[in-house]
């Protein structure tokens, strides 16, 4: 299997804090890779660097054979990487379908002079975007909600809509930051099915940050464990379950929580 | 084309004909005073809707439209004035060489005015959009002042604080309302396109917009440039309506008035901006009554200059108290919603 992404020596500092210390990581095409670790381990920071929101101090990220570390976020998205946010970031005042239609923006708005050139063709383009959004919402079971304002959706559906919106940019690699957070067990089951279905149907590669061990162990092919910005373990779910350092890191967190 | 679309287009065309008919009537029967306010109304519509594109739709709090209006007003006036008129006007310092000799008809002058404002918008977009929020407001405010200081001091170009006089009164109901209709149609087309959606995405959440692959700087700049174009046109129309312009005319007060129209109308809604402009233009005239002396029974009330601004501010406060998001909120007028209200019973499947 080839790697869709190779991360080398990635280092990020926030003033004195080293949030990531020379992280190396490989993501195989078509796999679901879990990124786990106690709170504050640096998982979200990894996503922020990959998606271009934070510039790393050192290191390289090769995505599809292209160096993307330090590119602008919109550029990285256009290369085929899309993400969701730990604290959901929908376009709250806009409707569900508008949220998804914005995701399709990349497929159409490549030229700056577009508004002038497409003055005549724009109705046709609009119709096409609308129809594609409808199709996507239909396949993901959100069709009955198209005219709802995104901010009034229940939490679980907001998480789902954020994933669907990310899909609309037609990514090859999808980054999901704690998609199961705040969901009840039923919703979590649905989410797991949804994520695996996405991977299979769209030939996606998925990088997943998740706290729920049940979810992680069940759907991930490989898992990377971070603690204090360092990679402490890597392997199959089975390896990770029995890894002594991982158990200690999590026990440490539980210990802090109790005290 | 389906039936619903046909009805909507027919309704649009019919209302345009109605506006046209009204203007024909007003042109021959209305008093010069009413015609003047109708012209002002149209210019306010151009200015408020284009201001709304930046402040309401894209969510960038700019305070610079007075600068773009000044650029448009001066550019167009300098182009329509004849070489002889310019020679007479520029008494302190003669006008600089190429400007003194040029003289163009109204339409090309207006278009050049709009394009000039756009070019300036393009150039200042780089420093302006490096900053966000409050800073953006301050930087654009400063830009407005720079333009005014320039207009006052670049005497050989602008004739300084004396301003320009004897501009021909080309602006009439056809020009002003023609441009108002063009502006509103262009802006609504833009807002409903994927470009407009990208702008709204920036307003809602800039980080998420970037994650959707939106080059946020480019879209902010695009909104800024298009907005400046129409503000330049509006400034040009105003210059050729008032026939005299000077730097004081383009003070921050103008921007403030536009802000009132856009916010009271409903930030982000083009319908709201149009309503805001109409209410402002007419409300300001109606409230003139409060500045005149009156005699009610035995009590005589003296004239109070500035009173209407006080009342206007009170009304604005009331609007903001009861409609926190302006008169329309984010709601946009559409024929569908009107027909629904009028009781269209058959619900047709929604198409776009
Ligand atoms: N923008 C930032 N500025 C300063 N410190 C940050 C920033 N982002 C994250 N951190 C710090 O970096 C560490 C890792 O954070 P994060 O990546 O969010 O952890 P995780 O997602 O694993 O819980 C934390 O100590 C956090 O406080
Ligand atoms: Mg996190």
């Amino acid at each position: 299997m080839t790697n869709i992404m190779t991360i080398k020596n990635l280092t990020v500092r926030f003033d004195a804090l080293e949030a990531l210390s020379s992280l190396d990581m490989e993501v195989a095409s078509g796999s679901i890779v879990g990124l786990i670790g106690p709170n504050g381990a640096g998982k979200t920071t990894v996503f922020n660097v990959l998606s271009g929101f934070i510039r790393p101090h050192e290191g390289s990220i090769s995505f599809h054979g292209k160096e993307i570390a330090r590119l602008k976020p919109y550029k990285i998205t256009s290369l085929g990487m899309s993400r969701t946010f730990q604290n959901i970031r929908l376009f709250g005042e806009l409707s569900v379908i508008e949220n998804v239609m914005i995701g399709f923006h990349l497929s159409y708005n490549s030229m700056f002079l577009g508004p002038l050139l497409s003055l005549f063709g724009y109705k046709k383009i609009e119709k096409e975007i609308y129809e594609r959004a409808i199709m996507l919402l239909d396949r993901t079971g959100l069709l009955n909600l198209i005219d709802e304002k995104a901010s009034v959706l229940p939490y679980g559906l907001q998480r789902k809509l954020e994933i669907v919106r990310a899909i609309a940019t037609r990514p090859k690699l999808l980054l999901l930051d704690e998609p199961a957070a705040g969901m009840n067990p039923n919703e979590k089951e649905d989410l797991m099915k949804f994520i695996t279905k996405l991977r299979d149907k769209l030939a996606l590669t998925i990088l997943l940050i998740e706290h729920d061990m049940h979810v992680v162990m069940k759907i991930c092919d490989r898992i990377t464990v971070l603690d204090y910005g360092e990679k402490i373990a890597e392997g199959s779910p089975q390896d990770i379950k029995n890894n002594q350092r991982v158990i200690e890191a999590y026990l440490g967190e539980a210990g802090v929580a109790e005290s | 084309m389906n039936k619903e679309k046909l009805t909507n287009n027919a309704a649009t065309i019919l209302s345009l004909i109605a506006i046209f008919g009204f203007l024909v009537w007003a042109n021959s029967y209305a008093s010069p005073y009413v015609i003047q306010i109708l012209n002002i109304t149209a210019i306010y519509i151009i200015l408020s809707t284009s201001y709304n594109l930046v402040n309401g739709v894209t969510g960038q709090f700019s305070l610079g439209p007075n600068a773009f209006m000044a650029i448009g007003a001066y550019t167009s006036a300098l182009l329509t004035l004849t070489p002889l008129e310019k020679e007479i006007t520029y008494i302190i310092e003669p006008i600089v060489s190429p400007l003194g000799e040029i003289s163009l008809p109204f339409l090309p002058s207006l278009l050049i005015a709009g394009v000039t404002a756009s070019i300036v918008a393009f150039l200042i977009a780089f420093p302006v959009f490096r900053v966000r929020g409050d800073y953006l407001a301050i930087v654009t405010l400063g830009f407005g002042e720079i333009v005014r200081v320039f207009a006052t001091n670049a005497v050989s170009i602008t004739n300084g604080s004396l301003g320009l006089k004897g501009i021909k009164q080309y602006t009439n109901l056809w020009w002003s309302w023609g441009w108002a209709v063009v502006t509103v149609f262009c802006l609504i087309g833009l807002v409903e396109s994927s470009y407009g959606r990208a702008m709204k995405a920036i307003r809602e959440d800039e980080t998420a917009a970037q994650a959707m692959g939106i080059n946020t700087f480019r879209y902010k700049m695009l909104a800024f440039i298009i907005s400046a174009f129409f503000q330049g046109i509006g400034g040009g129309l105003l210059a050729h309506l008032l026939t005299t312009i000077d730097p004081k005319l383009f003070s921050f007060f103008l921007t403030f008035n536009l802000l009132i129209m856009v916010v009271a109308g409903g930030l982000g809604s083009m319908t709201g901006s149009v309503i805001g402009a109409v209410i402002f233009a007419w409300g300001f005239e109606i409230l003139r009554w409060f500045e005149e002396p009156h005699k009610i029974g035995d009590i005589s009330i003296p004239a109070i200059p500035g009173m209407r601004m006080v009342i206007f501010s009170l009304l604005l406060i009331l609007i903001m108290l009861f409609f926190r998001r302006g008169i329309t909120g984010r709601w946009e007028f559409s024929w569908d919603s009107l027909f629904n209200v009028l009781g269209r019973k058959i619900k047709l499947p929604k198409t776009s």
Side-chain angles (χ1 to χ4, degrees):
Chain A
M1 231 194 296
T2 56
N3 289 331
I4 189 169
M5 183 164 68
T6 310
I7 300 170
K8 283 211 181 90
N9 190 32
L10 206 59
T11 302
V12 173
R13 290 182 207 100
F14 297 117
D15 298 322
L17 176 79
E18 192 156 274
L20 285 180
S21 313
S22 32
L23 174 72
D24 294 325
M25 200 175 156
E26 287 174 353
V27 178
S29 284
S31 61
I32 298 181
V33 176
L35 189 58
I36 66 170
N39 268 327
K43 308 178 295 292
T44 298
T45 303
V46 173
F47 273 24
N48 284 340
V49 174
L50 294 180
S51 53
F53 286 99
I54 291 178
R55 294 167 136 244
H57 291 84
E58 279 162 50
S60 66
I61 304 162
S62 159
F63 177 61
H64 264 292
K66 213 176 165 128
E67 177 57 42
I68 61 159
R70 297 168 192 88
L71 291 185
K72 291 249 167 63
Y74 74 88
K75 193 85 206 161
I76 292 174
T77 307
S78 74
L79 292 172
M81 190 191 301
S82 189
R83 69 172 289 182
T84 64
F85 295 88
Q86 184 172 346
N87 38 358
I88 310 173
R89 282 178 171 271
L90 288 169
F91 305 121
E93 284 290 310
L94 306 184
S95 66
V96 167
I97 188 148
E98 279 179 298
N99 269 272
V100 176
M101 286 169 87
I102 288 166
F104 280 114
H105 143 97
L106 268 180
S107 320
Y108 296 91
N109 295 15
S110 47
M111 274 177 305
F112 192 37
L113 283 178
L116 293 176
L117 300 177
S118 66
L119 209 56
F120 303 100
Y122 104 85
K123 289 264 175 198
K124 205 178 126 247
I125 292 176
E126 274 308 294
K127 192 158 176 268
E128 205 175 304
I129 297 178
Y130 180 80
E131 279 164 3
R132 285 176 69 181
I134 289 283
M135 202 147 72
L136 182 58
L137 286 167
D138 188 20
R139 286 199 191 143
T140 49
L142 294 172
L143 192 58
N144 53 335
L145 299 170
I146 52 171
D147 289 326
E148 297 289 336
K149 211 163 84 167
S151 61
V152 305
L153 294 183
Y155 194 75
L157 285 176
Q158 289 198 15
R159 285 245 176 245
K160 188 165 181 185
L161 176 59
E162 208 193 9
I163 298 175
V164 173
R165 184 183 69 174
I167 295 294
T169 66
R170 312 225 281 169
K172 300 180 194 95
L173 174 64
L174 182 62
L175 313 180
L176 302 177
D177 199 343
E178 303 197 17
M183 286 187 173
N184 65 36
N186 280 338
E187 287 175 320
K188 280 182 186 171
E189 282 303 318
D190 288 344
L191 180 78
M192 282 192 274
K193 279 187 207 131
F194 183 59
I195 291 175
T196 29
K197 198 175 108 186
L198 282 182
R199 190 262 307 263
D200 299 340
K201 289 260 164 76
L202 300 172
L204 277 176
T205 308
I206 293 172
L207 190 54
L208 174 78
I209 297 177
E210 188 44 64
H211 271 304
D212 188 308
M213 280 310 129
H214 171 66
V215 173
V216 175
M217 294 298 163
K218 198 158 166 200
I219 66 171
C220 291
D221 303 305
R222 307 238 349 137
I223 294 172
T224 298
V225 189
L226 291 183
D227 193 18
Y228 293 112
E230 287 191 48
K231 184 167 78 180
I232 56 168
E234 192 171 38
S236 68
Q238 211 52 45
D239 298 339
I240 298 301
K241 232 180 240 173
N242 305 322
N243 184 299
Q244 199 52 40
R245 280 194 73 182
V246 176
I247 294 167
E248 276 166 20
Y250 273 91
L251 278 180
E253 192 187 36
V256 171
E258 273 163 29
S259 67
Chain B
M1 210 187 270
N2 60 38
K3 208 173 123 209
E4 193 173 2
K5 241 185 196 166
L6 265 173
T7 349
N8 289 354
N9 287 349
T12 305
I13 290 167
L14 279 178
S15 47
L16 283 179
I17 293 173
I19 292 177
F20 183 76
F22 172 73
L23 292 178
V24 169
W25 173 83
N27 209 24
S28 20
Y29 297 106
S31 67
Y33 170 68
V34 168
I35 290 181
Q36 179 80 356
I37 305 170
L38 281 173
N39 277 316
I40 296 275
T41 308
I43 294 172
Y44 280 172
I45 288 175
I46 296 168
L47 297 172
S48 66
T49 48
S50 57
Y51 189 36
N52 183 40
L53 181 69
V54 172
N55 278 34
V57 176
T58 319
Q60 304 300 306
F61 194 62
S62 156
L63 291 175
N66 56 326
F68 297 116
M69 288 174 65
I71 291 168
Y74 272 97
T75 308
S76 61
L78 283 171
L79 291 174
T80 58
L81 285 171
T82 62
L84 183 66
E85 285 166 336
K86 282 181 236 185
E87 213 182 297
I88 301 167
T89 309
Y90 284 66
I91 46 175
I92 303 176
E93 257 180 61
I95 186 164
V96 286
S97 162
L99 270 180
E101 289 97 62
I102 304 171
S103 185
L104 289 175
F106 190 36
L107 182 62
S109 304
L110 268 187
L111 290 173
I112 294 172
V115 171
T116 309
S118 286
I119 291 172
V120 174
F122 170 79
L123 293 177
I124 70 159
F126 292 92
V128 161
F129 292 121
R130 290 219 175 282
V131 294
R132 280 191 199 184
D134 304 342
Y135 295 105
L136 176 71
I138 290 164
V139 171
T140 48
L141 189 68
F143 171 65
E145 281 308 295
I146 290 171
V147 168
R148 225 161 53 84
V149 170
F150 179 84
T152 315
N153 292 300
V155 182
S156 63
I157 301 173
T158 62
N159 202 29
S161 51
L162 290 179
L164 301 176
K165 293 185 177 60
I167 304 165
K168 289 207 186 60
Q169 199 171 34
Y170 285 122
T171 303
N172 54 26
L173 290 176
W174 311 121
W175 282 109
S176 62
W177 282 91
W179 273 107
V181 168
V182 167
T183 308
V184 169
F185 269 79
C186 286
L187 291 178
I188 287 179
L190 181 74
V191 170
E192 285 180 352
S193 74
S194 60
Y195 289 84
R197 263 197 309 277
M199 290 168 187
K200 288 188 229 167
I202 294 171
R203 171 189 76 200
E204 294 296 315
D205 190 324
E206 192 162 347
T207 301
Q210 287 178 312
M212 289 291 102
I214 292 170
N215 183 341
T216 51
F217 174 70
R218 270 192 171 187
Y219 281 92
K220 286 190 234 173
M221 184 155 89
L222 184 66
F224 204 52
I225 289 174
I226 293 173
S227 171
F229 176 79
F230 288 115
Q231 279 152 11
I233 299 275
L237 288 168
L238 192 66
H240 290 82
L241 179 69
L242 303 178
T243 70
T244 60
I245 53 172
D246 63 58
K248 282 199 298 297
L249 180 62
F250 301 100
S251 68
F252 175 69
F253 191 63
L254 253 181
T255 295
F256 182 67
N257 288 348
L258 288 179
L259 201 58
I260 291 178
M261 296 178 216
V262 171
V263 172
L267 205 57
S269 156
M270 289 296 169
T271 314
S273 298
V274 172
I275 294 174
V278 173
I279 291 180
F280 192 91
W282 290 90
F284 226 65
E285 289 306 318
I286 292 166
L287 293 179
R288 204 182 273 283
W289 185 85
F290 289 97
E291 297 194 354
E292 291 157 1
H294 292 287
K295 221 174 149 71
I296 304 168
D298 289 340
I299 315 153
S300 61
I301 304 163
I304 315 166
M307 192 59 197
R308 56 179 171 161
M309 205 57 220
V310 174
I311 295 176
F312 218 87
S313 306
L314 282 175
L315 288 178
L316 183 69
I317 292 170
L318 282 179
I319 289 180
M320 295 330 280
L321 277 178
F322 291 104
F323 309 92
R324 191 145 299 169
R325 313 182 64 185
I327 294 168
T328 59
R330 288 262 162 78
W331 175 82
E332 286 289 4
F333 173 80
S334 69
W335 291 115
D336 291 340
S337 56
L338 181 68
F339 293 149
N340 281 340
V341 171
L342 293 180
R344 183 194 265 193
K345 288 283 184 292
I346 335 135
K347 237 194 152 176
L348 294 160
K350 194 183 156 62
T351 47
S352 183

